Amino acid sequence: MKFAACSSYEIAAQITKTTPVILPVGAVEAHGPHLPLETDNLLAERYADRIADKKNGLVLPVLPYGQVFSLQDFPGSLSLSNETMIQMIFEIGEGLYKQGVRLFVLISGHLGNMTALKEGARKLFLKHPDMRVLHIFYPNIQKLAADVREGKANHHTYIHACEIETSLMLYLASEHVEMEKAIDDPPILPLDADYTPMPWQNFTESAVLGEATLATAEKGEYLIETTLKTCLELIEIEQDKIRKAEEMA
Amino acid sequence: MKFAACSSYEIAAQITKTTPVILPVGAVEAHGPHLPLETDNLLAERYADRIADKKNGLVLPVLPYGQVFSLQDFPGSLSLSNETMIQMIFEIGEGLYKQGVRLFVLISGHLGNMTALKEGARKLFLKHPDMRVLHIFYPNIQKLAADVREGKANHHTYIHACEIETSLMLYLASEHVEMEKAIDDPPILPLDADYTPMPWQNFTESAVLGEATLATAEKGEYLIETTLKTCLELIEIEQDKIRKAEEMA
Amino acid sequence: MKFAACSSYEIAAQITKTTPVILPVGAVEAHGPHLPLETDNLLAERYADRIADKKNGLVLPVLPYGQVFSLQDFPGSLSLSNETMIQMIFEIGEGLYKQGVRLFVLISGHLGNMTALKEGARKLFLKHPDMRVLHIFYPNIQKLAADVREGKANHHTYIHACEIETSLMLYLASEHVEMEKAIDDPPILPLDADYTPMPWQNFTESAVLGEATLATAEKGEYLIETTLKTCLELIEIEQDKIRKAEEMA
Amino acid sequence: MKFAACSSYEIAAQITKTTPVILPVGAVEAHGPHLPLETDNLLAERYADRIADKKNGLVLPVLPYGQVFSLQDFPGSLSLSNETMIQMIFEIGEGLYKQGVRLFVLISGHLGNMTALKEGARKLFLKHPDMRVLHIFYPNIQKLAADVREGKANHHTYIHACEIETSLMLYLASEHVEMEKAIDDPPILPLDADYTPMPWQNFTESAVLGEATLATAEKGEYLIETTLKTCLELIEIEQDKIRKAEEMA
Amino acid sequence: MKFAACSSYEIAAQITKTTPVILPVGAVEAHGPHLPLETDNLLAERYADRIADKKNGLVLPVLPYGQVFSLQDFPGSLSLSNETMIQMIFEIGEGLYKQGVRLFVLISGHLGNMTALKEGARKLFLKHPDMRVLHIFYPNIQKLAADVREGKANHHTYIHACEIETSLMLYLASEHVEMEKAIDDPPILPLDADYTPMPWQNFTESAVLGEATLATAEKGEYLIETTLKTCLELIEIEQDKIRKAEEMA
Amino acid sequence: MKFAACSSYEIAAQITKTTPVILPVGAVEAHGPHLPLETDNLLAERYADRIADKKNGLVLPVLPYGQVFSLQDFPGSLSLSNETMIQMIFEIGEGLYKQGVRLFVLISGHLGNMTALKEGARKLFLKHPDMRVLHIFYPNIQKLAADVREGKANHHTYIHACEIETSLMLYLASEHVEMEKAIDDPPILPLDADYTPMPWQNFTESAVLGEATLATAEKGEYLIETTLKTCLELIEIEQDKIRKAEEMA
């Protein structure tokens, strides 16, 4: 259920202490010729919907701007600073806390957001230790990607506009993919890419970090469904903690 | 056209110095029993679309969280601080500037955002005097509302979940209005409401600041179409300035 | 009575929970050829004195620097940022709160300060909900000005160095007015003046936004005395709230 | 001449690159039974006037709130943080710089302001190395005080509401001194007073750090006139530097 | 060579554009019964010395306080915020830049610092794109650890006071290890440990995340020498870039 | 005893409410041809050790970067801003407070740090009035220096790389002094040096503010031992206060 599609009169009845309230966080960012700038917004939102469906969760409106350091110079990319993102997460969490929410689930469709999400979660934790905050980006995606990837081995952390991310899109938002424009453009990543600030124009012109043509909905299904299972488990763990804390109080 | 539905390859071709790039800014806020929490998001987004249609503009993803001081204690309301909003506007504007945008149009569906939008616009202006930034909330809506309002005279600045705002929704997003739940609940505004911090629970339980049952799509049409005309004029004025600045350079 | 003319030994006896402690806030800003840069300081201070006289208030030293965006490039104008002003208001309010003050009245002689005053008041309210803070700029002056204005209709919000403000000065501080230098220079305000950052050199050279020669002390008297009445009412309303809160505690 | 008593039309003609523009900075602070809370404002302002008279300077409106850590818990004291004061000094200096001022003289009547004034001056210097900023609190007053003090030796840095400061007031603002209320209350300063945060209620009830009854206008005259001489010398030194920089440019 | 052991007269001669200036960053943090709180300081400093020896580098004094969220509640742990650390890195980098340094190498002995180091590096990069900044924590240590680890498989990212880190200490600072106090205390890490703020007292009492008794100097040697090789390569890559940039300029 | 040389298991046993926990704060700063950049670090650390020896204190790792405005342009100098230093002091103090420390002793080897140390101490005091924080730079060194100085009278506050500071080094860290390189270079300090931002290159090339050749270990001994005595007294005073507060609670 969508949080903001409810009226003020309806929402109060929906919120219990174990209701997961889910904030999808995306980005406006270059994703090659075959994917839209809003790719991470679409993924985060639909992934959040899937979680909500299974756990009676409430999905907040997607935060559509993210931290985009690496691709900030590519056409169409827009970037927020970590400071601003941390503060947004914190202030939204504060508002939810006041309304009785105790399980706040941050779902990012963009790896670059994870520093801000983790820091925002910690800031909330330090102020409200009784609110559980999860910060999630496809749990274990790197390892699982190896199960399905046909292209050459990619970078150990970056998944971007490639066989893997395009597969996620084909499964969750295929109407926004133009597979006929998909290209293979695996970059040779310089050794220092992980150790020094390096905008990605240093090693790619397309922003496609792999072989997008190898993407399939089936690969996407495997990755989405497997990672979703972990998300549900995580939510159950936190719900248990909340219930126990309630009983103790 | 939607900015973020384009690919990185497509967007560059769309941006000229006079292209209006439009950011709808809304809020998640209590709007009585008949309107959803996302009312201001829906209005801002569709209003922005209307502008874009007429002026070959590009509409950015809606910023769905706003500054909600007055109703922050109502169920479902979420609020960002002015500081955070100003910084978001500034950082998005900075990103657009780097990509050649010179006409940045902020469209708010929520009056509470206007301080942040004006301050964000000034901050951008002081750094980039050659970028034109408009900050717009239904130009002259107060005066125009008097032309159509049947209910008793309302507050001189607040328009919220009432005959007027419900009419806007009936014209732009009627599928999100539950008119059978609409109520009349015009508050008696205390004299000091404009002069001291006063959360609205001091004078309303419903958050409906007027007679929502009197709303009609026709009233909404008048208000939207009349204010839109001013928006288009404003955009033309700024486009002229940009062109003149170009010629001088 | 002047707050700071008291000794530390005397002041404590003066402060009760319903004593209005009044902070005049002005600006150093261009006001045409016939008015001094300190016009808004003089007005704020004398207006505050008038309130204090009638309500046994204590007047703090005037904050003589204000937020001056629009005229910042005119000779003699000095501007503080909103951030700095908000913080000043907040810190002064904090100090007063510690000393038992519960009614803090902000009187501005300059419209540009009102964003900071409102935000500062909100910040104090969120921390100390039991302190009443009023933020006042001549209540309803725009509407009342229409009652006396002989010049052509002016802008709906700006009152600056014109028939109206000069009248205020002739009534409250005539020894600082050089009427022989007064000029008429009503600007044609561009349509976008309210919707985009626009320093006033875009439409005026003199900073006189109207017909200063039409000013009279009588017009000033009407505006000052009428708006003062509202101020006194506002103070009484807040004093009642404080008394009720006391009784409940 | 008073800066803000000029009109915008007049001020421009007054400002040359060597004109000292003088900002008096005071405080609202407990000063015992015989001196008003505004003592430091009166002293700073009149001292600044004396400088302006001799050097064709322009005196800005006094900043009447200062950093008051030590006496913040005494009735009537109000305190700004160093951060806020530094920012105020910086922003006022920025405004002056834009208008061609190159000699900005900060005159404090309150020792507690000196950290903020020095830091504000450094911040301006780092941005505008061609603007000279002086931060002055009665040059060498400690040493000179020993020449006239009849009371027992006081603390090596604190001068507050005592024989010395009361003498300054008797010379510069005698109409604000109630000598019949003056008392002698020299505190025994704990050894750690200079080495740990210690509000002054730890060692004084009156805030009179000495023998106020020994104050005379003659002592004040000696201290004011001698320190003023140094101020004039300092201004001349900076004026020389400005002239030389001009010649080189 | 130690940067700060040089005199001001000597240091200038040491700095060329390709000289690596190395900042070791550690932490004061609980490391079980057999390792001192300063473990990460010792490791960072000696690791930095090794790099300096091979590349004619200059080692700055170790920054001995780090970001310690996870163990902040353990006896002896001290934590700085990311904001403060980022600012420190940035300000030190700024100072080095002014003195002609173009290769700034951040060596952390503590994983928790890496967010701040990466952000600090990015902040420097955005201001000074011609300064190369490396942010290094034992390159590939996780993968390499698998080559030598005899204990049960540990967490995929945490290396703390365990077989691995104790081995590093036995190789680099054995005089600070009390192996007779070493214990085995591998925790069962909860599934949500990576996805929600979780201070480590939730799963360990000792802070030893593994089997410290299995540590040997040989394992340490392998890990240190192998990761050092990568460091040297990284430095050479950046030196090449600096040389090429010089040639182009 | 060194705080960070303890293990987490050992440290808890060491901390009582009256244990002085001592933070040496130094700087990396030009000190002429005969002293290393780390002079103030060496002095602060060894001075702290001496205090700890006599009062069962715990010495934290030295903060090796300080606020270096005056010499920031000299080779090898590195400077942190006051804001960053204040925040570091505050955060370290917060961590100590959580662990039961109630006596936090800041020992600076560098005068330029004292503003930050005093402000950091005040910030801690305002949050935790029951923690005693001392901020110490060789108590009364200026006066005592006059007892031993053979060179011409120096500046009344600056002690830098001269007869005095070199003597301190000869007594506490003689192995880091190269007396054969010591020079005499007493500057003529301009009258305005104390009243306007003035980097020291304005009056010295060597950074030696006096006659370093006159330094002796005996002079250093007198200054160190005499000032140390005051430190011990200060610590005892604070310990008494803590004990009394304990008894009252």
mmCIF file of all heavy atoms in Angstrom, chain B residues 67 69 82 119 122 133-135 139 192 194-197 238 241, chain C residues 67 69 82 119 122 133-135 139 192 194-197 238 241:
data_model
loop_
_atom_site.group_PDB
_atom_site.id
_atom_site.type_symbol
_atom_site.label_atom_id
_atom_site.label_comp_id
_atom_site.label_asym_id
_atom_site.label_seq_id
_atom_site.Cartn_x
_atom_site.Cartn_y
_atom_site.Cartn_z
ATOM 1 N N GLN B 67 8.261 21.318 3.394
ATOM 2 C CA GLN B 67 8.331 21.923 4.723
ATOM 3 C C GLN B 67 6.910 21.988 5.274
ATOM 4 O O GLN B 67 6.071 22.708 4.743
ATOM 5 C CB GLN B 67 8.978 23.309 4.596
ATOM 6 C CG GLN B 67 9.390 23.930 5.896
ATOM 7 C CD GLN B 67 8.216 24.642 6.583
ATOM 8 O OE1 GLN B 67 7.122 24.750 6.042
ATOM 9 N NE2 GLN B 67 8.449 25.112 7.796
ATOM 10 N N PHE B 69 5.388 22.719 8.616
ATOM 11 C CA PHE B 69 5.388 23.112 10.033
ATOM 12 C C PHE B 69 3.980 23.002 10.631
ATOM 13 O O PHE B 69 3.771 22.393 11.680
ATOM 14 C CB PHE B 69 5.900 24.549 10.177
ATOM 15 C CG PHE B 69 5.841 25.057 11.590
ATOM 16 C CD1 PHE B 69 6.865 24.771 12.483
ATOM 17 C CD2 PHE B 69 4.755 25.807 12.050
ATOM 18 C CE1 PHE B 69 6.811 25.218 13.799
ATOM 19 C CE2 PHE B 69 4.694 26.253 13.357
ATOM 20 C CZ PHE B 69 5.719 25.956 14.229
ATOM 21 N N ASN B 82 13.555 23.830 6.485
ATOM 22 C CA ASN B 82 13.903 24.765 5.415
ATOM 23 C C ASN B 82 15.358 24.615 4.985
ATOM 24 O O ASN B 82 15.672 24.666 3.795
ATOM 25 C CB ASN B 82 13.664 26.206 5.884
ATOM 26 C CG ASN B 82 12.237 26.656 5.649
ATOM 27 O OD1 ASN B 82 11.546 26.126 4.783
ATOM 28 N ND2 ASN B 82 11.789 27.629 6.425
ATOM 29 N N GLU B 119 14.460 31.124 -1.038
ATOM 30 C CA GLU B 119 15.834 31.192 -0.542
ATOM 31 C C GLU B 119 16.772 30.368 -1.432
ATOM 32 O O GLU B 119 17.900 30.783 -1.701
ATOM 33 C CB GLU B 119 15.917 30.677 0.896
ATOM 34 C CG GLU B 119 15.249 31.571 1.909
ATOM 35 C CD GLU B 119 15.806 32.981 1.910
ATOM 36 O OE1 GLU B 119 17.041 33.131 1.955
ATOM 37 O OE2 GLU B 119 15.004 33.935 1.841
ATOM 38 N N ARG B 122 17.470 32.341 -4.482
ATOM 39 C CA ARG B 122 18.423 33.436 -4.242
ATOM 40 C C ARG B 122 19.855 32.921 -4.128
ATOM 41 O O ARG B 122 20.786 33.554 -4.620
ATOM 42 C CB ARG B 122 18.038 34.164 -2.938
ATOM 43 C CG ARG B 122 16.824 35.052 -3.111
ATOM 44 C CD ARG B 122 16.505 35.806 -1.830
ATOM 45 N NE ARG B 122 15.489 36.833 -2.099
ATOM 46 C CZ ARG B 122 15.063 37.706 -1.204
ATOM 47 N NH1 ARG B 122 15.560 37.697 0.026
ATOM 48 N NH2 ARG B 122 14.163 38.612 -1.524
ATOM 49 N N VAL B 133 15.928 31.642 -12.247
ATOM 50 C CA VAL B 133 15.183 30.686 -11.433
ATOM 51 C C VAL B 133 13.832 31.289 -11.064
ATOM 52 O O VAL B 133 13.781 32.384 -10.485
ATOM 53 C CB VAL B 133 15.951 30.329 -10.138
ATOM 54 C CG1 VAL B 133 15.233 29.215 -9.380
ATOM 55 C CG2 VAL B 133 17.378 29.917 -10.448
ATOM 56 N N LEU B 134 12.765 30.609 -11.395
ATOM 57 C CA LEU B 134 11.423 31.054 -11.005
ATOM 58 C C LEU B 134 10.923 30.213 -9.836
ATOM 59 O O LEU B 134 11.123 28.999 -9.821
ATOM 60 C CB LEU B 134 10.447 30.913 -12.187
ATOM 61 C CG LEU B 134 10.632 31.915 -13.339
ATOM 62 C CD1 LEU B 134 9.870 31.443 -14.584
ATOM 63 C CD2 LEU B 134 10.143 33.313 -12.927
ATOM 64 N N HIS B 135 10.289 30.864 -8.862
ATOM 65 C CA HIS B 135 9.683 30.128 -7.742
ATOM 66 C C HIS B 135 8.198 30.470 -7.713
ATOM 67 O O HIS B 135 7.802 31.595 -7.436
ATOM 68 C CB HIS B 135 10.360 30.459 -6.405
ATOM 69 C CG HIS B 135 10.675 31.894 -6.183
ATOM 70 N ND1 HIS B 135 9.783 32.773 -5.626
ATOM 71 C CD2 HIS B 135 11.784 32.623 -6.456
ATOM 72 C CE1 HIS B 135 10.330 33.983 -5.541
ATOM 73 N NE2 HIS B 135 11.541 33.924 -6.043
ATOM 74 N N PRO B 139 0.293 31.672 -9.295
ATOM 75 C CA PRO B 139 0.339 33.142 -9.209
ATOM 76 C C PRO B 139 -1.041 33.771 -8.950
ATOM 77 O O PRO B 139 -2.006 33.447 -9.644
ATOM 78 C CB PRO B 139 0.884 33.548 -10.582
ATOM 79 C CG PRO B 139 1.655 32.377 -11.074
ATOM 80 C CD PRO B 139 0.982 31.170 -10.505
ATOM 81 N N ASP B 192 -4.098 35.783 16.294
ATOM 82 C CA ASP B 192 -2.635 35.700 16.338
ATOM 83 C C ASP B 192 -2.061 34.594 15.439
ATOM 84 O O ASP B 192 -0.848 34.374 15.436
ATOM 85 C CB ASP B 192 -2.139 35.524 17.780
ATOM 86 C CG ASP B 192 -2.719 34.295 18.463
ATOM 87 O OD1 ASP B 192 -3.742 33.776 17.972
ATOM 88 O OD2 ASP B 192 -2.161 33.877 19.491
ATOM 89 N N ASP B 194 -1.322 34.467 12.433
ATOM 90 C CA ASP B 194 -0.277 34.915 11.500
ATOM 91 C C ASP B 194 0.938 35.505 12.194
ATOM 92 O O ASP B 194 1.908 35.885 11.531
ATOM 93 C CB ASP B 194 -0.836 36.004 10.571
ATOM 94 C CG ASP B 194 -1.743 35.420 9.519
ATOM 95 O OD1 ASP B 194 -1.745 34.188 9.347
ATOM 96 O OD2 ASP B 194 -2.459 36.202 8.872
ATOM 97 N N TYR B 195 0.893 35.608 13.515
ATOM 98 C CA TYR B 195 1.918 36.384 14.203
ATOM 99 C C TYR B 195 2.695 35.603 15.244
ATOM 100 O O TYR B 195 3.540 36.157 15.939
ATOM 101 C CB TYR B 195 1.271 37.615 14.852
ATOM 102 C CG TYR B 195 0.568 38.512 13.872
ATOM 103 C CD1 TYR B 195 -0.810 38.493 13.719
ATOM 104 C CD2 TYR B 195 1.310 39.352 13.042
ATOM 105 C CE1 TYR B 195 -1.451 39.304 12.788
ATOM 106 C CE2 TYR B 195 0.681 40.170 12.105
ATOM 107 C CZ TYR B 195 -0.701 40.134 11.986
ATOM 108 O OH TYR B 195 -1.313 40.938 11.067
ATOM 109 N N THR B 196 2.362 34.342 15.378
ATOM 110 C CA THR B 196 3.071 33.524 16.364
ATOM 111 C C THR B 196 3.058 32.082 15.863
ATOM 112 O O THR B 196 2.161 31.700 15.116
ATOM 113 C CB THR B 196 2.400 33.642 17.758
ATOM 114 O OG1 THR B 196 3.264 33.069 18.740
ATOM 115 C CG2 THR B 196 1.047 32.961 17.814
ATOM 116 N N PRO B 197 4.077 31.301 16.181
ATOM 117 C CA PRO B 197 4.073 29.902 15.715
ATOM 118 C C PRO B 197 2.830 29.191 16.256
ATOM 119 O O PRO B 197 2.625 29.144 17.469
ATOM 120 C CB PRO B 197 5.352 29.321 16.328
ATOM 121 C CG PRO B 197 6.241 30.496 16.589
ATOM 122 C CD PRO B 197 5.297 31.605 16.957
ATOM 123 N N GLU B 238 11.591 35.402 -18.867
ATOM 124 C CA GLU B 238 12.942 34.923 -18.546
ATOM 125 C C GLU B 238 13.668 34.450 -19.797
ATOM 126 O O GLU B 238 14.874 34.654 -19.948
ATOM 127 C CB GLU B 238 12.889 33.798 -17.502
ATOM 128 C CG GLU B 238 12.126 34.118 -16.228
ATOM 129 C CD GLU B 238 12.494 35.439 -15.585
ATOM 130 O OE1 GLU B 238 13.698 35.733 -15.469
ATOM 131 O OE2 GLU B 238 11.568 36.202 -15.208
ATOM 132 N N LYS B 241 15.151 37.355 -21.443
ATOM 133 C CA LYS B 241 16.364 37.824 -20.764
ATOM 134 C C LYS B 241 17.559 36.950 -21.118
ATOM 135 O O LYS B 241 18.669 37.442 -21.311
ATOM 136 C CB LYS B 241 16.150 37.794 -19.243
ATOM 137 C CG LYS B 241 15.203 38.867 -18.741
ATOM 138 C CD LYS B 241 15.127 38.837 -17.217
ATOM 139 C CE LYS B 241 14.037 39.795 -16.723
ATOM 140 N NZ LYS B 241 13.735 39.606 -15.297
ATOM 141 N N GLN C 67 18.196 41.628 7.106
ATOM 142 C CA GLN C 67 18.363 40.890 5.853
ATOM 143 C C GLN C 67 17.980 41.810 4.705
ATOM 144 O O GLN C 67 16.820 42.191 4.592
ATOM 145 C CB GLN C 67 17.481 39.625 5.907
ATOM 146 C CG GLN C 67 17.782 38.611 4.829
ATOM 147 C CD GLN C 67 17.045 38.936 3.525
ATOM 148 O OE1 GLN C 67 16.281 39.875 3.450
ATOM 149 N NE2 GLN C 67 17.325 38.178 2.483
ATOM 150 N N PHE C 69 18.327 41.736 0.966
ATOM 151 C CA PHE C 69 18.683 41.155 -0.334
ATOM 152 C C PHE C 69 18.458 42.153 -1.461
ATOM 153 O O PHE C 69 19.326 42.395 -2.289
ATOM 154 C CB PHE C 69 17.850 39.882 -0.583
ATOM 155 C CG PHE C 69 18.078 39.288 -1.939
ATOM 156 C CD1 PHE C 69 19.155 38.437 -2.154
ATOM 157 C CD2 PHE C 69 17.235 39.584 -3.000
ATOM 158 C CE1 PHE C 69 19.393 37.891 -3.408
ATOM 159 C CE2 PHE C 69 17.475 39.039 -4.263
ATOM 160 C CZ PHE C 69 18.551 38.194 -4.462
ATOM 161 N N ASN C 82 19.897 35.257 6.297
ATOM 162 C CA ASN C 82 18.812 34.727 7.127
ATOM 163 C C ASN C 82 19.346 33.794 8.204
ATOM 164 O O ASN C 82 18.889 33.822 9.339
ATOM 165 C CB ASN C 82 17.807 33.973 6.256
ATOM 166 C CG ASN C 82 16.749 34.882 5.677
ATOM 167 O OD1 ASN C 82 16.464 35.949 6.218
ATOM 168 N ND2 ASN C 82 16.154 34.473 4.578
ATOM 169 N N GLU C 119 11.082 32.308 11.245
ATOM 170 C CA GLU C 119 11.842 31.070 11.442
ATOM 171 C C GLU C 119 12.463 31.029 12.841
ATOM 172 O O GLU C 119 12.490 29.992 13.493
ATOM 173 C CB GLU C 119 12.949 30.931 10.384
ATOM 174 C CG GLU C 119 12.439 30.692 8.988
ATOM 175 C CD GLU C 119 11.574 29.453 8.891
ATOM 176 O OE1 GLU C 119 11.988 28.384 9.374
ATOM 177 O OE2 GLU C 119 10.457 29.556 8.345
ATOM 178 N N ARG C 122 9.792 30.146 15.262
ATOM 179 C CA ARG C 122 9.455 28.710 15.198
ATOM 180 C C ARG C 122 10.500 27.868 15.908
ATOM 181 O O ARG C 122 10.181 26.905 16.599
ATOM 182 C CB ARG C 122 9.333 28.263 13.736
ATOM 183 C CG ARG C 122 8.062 28.752 13.087
ATOM 184 C CD ARG C 122 7.937 28.253 11.653
ATOM 185 N NE ARG C 122 6.574 28.507 11.158
ATOM 186 C CZ ARG C 122 6.126 28.119 9.980
ATOM 187 N NH1 ARG C 122 6.920 27.448 9.162
ATOM 188 N NH2 ARG C 122 4.886 28.368 9.612
ATOM 189 N N VAL C 133 6.082 33.740 21.292
ATOM 190 C CA VAL C 133 6.905 34.652 20.492
ATOM 191 C C VAL C 133 6.039 35.262 19.399
ATOM 192 O O VAL C 133 5.435 34.522 18.608
ATOM 193 C CB VAL C 133 8.099 33.915 19.849
ATOM 194 C CG1 VAL C 133 9.017 34.912 19.157
ATOM 195 C CG2 VAL C 133 8.863 33.104 20.884
ATOM 196 N N LEU C 134 5.969 36.568 19.360
ATOM 197 C CA LEU C 134 5.240 37.269 18.293
ATOM 198 C C LEU C 134 6.236 37.834 17.288
ATOM 199 O O LEU C 134 7.274 38.370 17.684
ATOM 200 C CB LEU C 134 4.394 38.410 18.883
ATOM 201 C CG LEU C 134 3.152 37.986 19.689
ATOM 202 C CD1 LEU C 134 2.621 39.152 20.514
ATOM 203 C CD2 LEU C 134 2.048 37.473 18.744
ATOM 204 N N HIS C 135 5.909 37.713 16.002
ATOM 205 C CA HIS C 135 6.758 38.321 14.957
ATOM 206 C C HIS C 135 5.869 39.272 14.162
ATOM 207 O O HIS C 135 4.964 38.868 13.458
ATOM 208 C CB HIS C 135 7.408 37.263 14.060
ATOM 209 C CG HIS C 135 6.504 36.140 13.648
ATOM 210 N ND1 HIS C 135 5.720 36.203 12.532
ATOM 211 C CD2 HIS C 135 6.266 34.930 14.203
ATOM 212 C CE1 HIS C 135 5.040 35.074 12.396
ATOM 213 N NE2 HIS C 135 5.339 34.279 13.410
ATOM 214 N N PRO C 139 0.887 45.159 11.525
ATOM 215 C CA PRO C 139 -0.211 44.273 11.105
ATOM 216 C C PRO C 139 -1.160 44.921 10.084
ATOM 217 O O PRO C 139 -1.637 46.041 10.315
ATOM 218 C CB PRO C 139 -0.938 43.969 12.419
ATOM 219 C CG PRO C 139 0.088 44.145 13.480
ATOM 220 C CD PRO C 139 1.007 45.222 12.988
ATOM 221 N N ASP C 192 7.720 39.700 -13.255
ATOM 222 C CA ASP C 192 8.431 38.597 -12.598
ATOM 223 C C ASP C 192 9.111 39.010 -11.289
ATOM 224 O O ASP C 192 9.806 38.203 -10.677
ATOM 225 C CB ASP C 192 9.446 37.952 -13.562
ATOM 226 C CG ASP C 192 10.474 38.930 -14.090
ATOM 227 O OD1 ASP C 192 10.233 40.150 -13.998
ATOM 228 O OD2 ASP C 192 11.523 38.484 -14.597
ATOM 229 N N ASP C 194 8.123 39.276 -8.362
ATOM 230 C CA ASP C 194 7.785 38.444 -7.204
ATOM 231 C C ASP C 194 8.161 36.978 -7.381
ATOM 232 O O ASP C 194 7.973 36.178 -6.463
ATOM 233 C CB ASP C 194 6.269 38.485 -6.952
ATOM 234 C CG ASP C 194 5.848 39.789 -6.316
ATOM 235 O OD1 ASP C 194 6.733 40.528 -5.859
ATOM 236 O OD2 ASP C 194 4.637 40.062 -6.294
ATOM 237 N N TYR C 195 8.667 36.614 -8.528
ATOM 238 C CA TYR C 195 8.816 35.191 -8.845
ATOM 239 C C TYR C 195 10.242 34.763 -9.164
ATOM 240 O O TYR C 195 10.479 33.612 -9.498
ATOM 241 C CB TYR C 195 7.895 34.823 -10.017
ATOM 242 C CG TYR C 195 6.445 35.107 -9.737
ATOM 243 C CD1 TYR C 195 5.810 36.244 -10.242
ATOM 244 C CD2 TYR C 195 5.712 34.260 -8.920
ATOM 245 C CE1 TYR C 195 4.476 36.518 -9.965
ATOM 246 C CE2 TYR C 195 4.375 34.523 -8.630
ATOM 247 C CZ TYR C 195 3.766 35.653 -9.157
ATOM 248 O OH TYR C 195 2.454 35.920 -8.863
ATOM 249 N N THR C 196 11.146 35.709 -9.102
ATOM 250 C CA THR C 196 12.544 35.376 -9.405
ATOM 251 C C THR C 196 13.423 36.335 -8.616
ATOM 252 O O THR C 196 12.991 37.452 -8.318
ATOM 253 C CB THR C 196 12.799 35.477 -10.936
ATOM 254 O OG1 THR C 196 14.069 34.899 -11.243
ATOM 255 C CG2 THR C 196 12.787 36.909 -11.434
ATOM 256 N N PRO C 197 14.608 35.920 -8.208
ATOM 257 C CA PRO C 197 15.479 36.836 -7.472
ATOM 258 C C PRO C 197 15.765 38.082 -8.307
ATOM 259 O O PRO C 197 16.265 37.957 -9.426
ATOM 260 C CB PRO C 197 16.756 36.010 -7.245
ATOM 261 C CG PRO C 197 16.321 34.576 -7.375
ATOM 262 C CD PRO C 197 15.226 34.585 -8.385
ATOM 263 N N GLU C 238 -1.733 36.666 23.934
ATOM 264 C CA GLU C 238 -0.643 35.798 24.404
ATOM 265 C C GLU C 238 -0.560 35.829 25.928
ATOM 266 O O GLU C 238 -0.283 34.812 26.567
ATOM 267 C CB GLU C 238 0.698 36.213 23.782
ATOM 268 C CG GLU C 238 0.718 36.307 22.255
ATOM 269 C CD GLU C 238 0.136 35.101 21.555
ATOM 270 O OE1 GLU C 238 0.453 33.967 21.949
ATOM 271 O OE2 GLU C 238 -0.666 35.281 20.598
ATOM 272 N N LYS C 241 -2.964 33.420 27.284
ATOM 273 C CA LYS C 241 -2.499 32.037 27.143
ATOM 274 C C LYS C 241 -1.484 31.697 28.228
ATOM 275 O O LYS C 241 -1.486 30.603 28.779
ATOM 276 C CB LYS C 241 -1.860 31.832 25.772
ATOM 277 C CG LYS C 241 -2.862 31.830 24.625
ATOM 278 C CD LYS C 241 -2.151 31.536 23.298
ATOM 279 C CE LYS C 241 -3.125 31.690 22.138
ATOM 280 N NZ LYS C 241 -2.439 31.703 20.840
#
